[in-house]
Amino acid sequence: MKKLMTMLAAAVAVGFALADEKISMAEQEITSVTVPFGIKSYTPSNKDVVRVEKTGEMQLRLTALKLGRCDLEVRGDTDDVQKYQID
């Protein structure tokens, strides 16, 4: 039983780690995002909805151009990945 509980707790922890972080933005709103690693690259799924600019080693500025959805994937130097869902 103890082993089962340990495995369940580990599965839940991994599930939270893999979940996309959600960001809600209004049209023309600007916000900054800080990731916990150095940014190597970033890929927005819809450049018509959100403009993404690197403003620091670990920071991005997001500008909502219009209402819609955009998924953003940020990659680090050591294959770290952080995903954001922007609505």
Side-chain angles (χ1 to χ4, degrees):
M1 183 70 167
K2 185 176 180 180
K3 184 176 181 179
L4 177 62
M5 294 299 281
T6 303
M7 289 174 55
L8 182 60
V12 168
V14 168
F16 283 123
L18 297 178
D20 294 357
E21 185 172 329
K22 296 182 189 266
I23 300 172
S24 294
M25 297 180 70
E27 192 171 352
Q28 300 302 316
E29 182 178 350
I30 299 172
T31 190
S32 293
V33 174
T34 302
V35 295
F37 50 80
I39 298 170
K40 180 178 179 182
S41 65
Y42 54 90
T43 308
S45 66
N46 192 341
K47 295 178 182 177
D48 293 333
V49 173
V50 177
R51 180 175 52 231
V52 182
E53 302 167 275
K54 185 176 176 183
T55 57
E57 186 64 29
M58 299 169 55
Q59 193 167 44
L60 297 171
R61 178 177 35 232
L62 308 177
T63 305
L65 303 175
K66 64 181 182 179
L67 295 179
R69 178 176 171 180
C70 178
D71 294 322
L72 174 63
E73 181 175 276
V74 183
R75 295 195 167 270
D77 293 331
T78 58
D79 294 329
D80 293 318
V81 177
Q82 177 68 48
K83 295 182 180 184
Y84 297 92
Q85 179 182 334
I86 304 164
D87 292 314

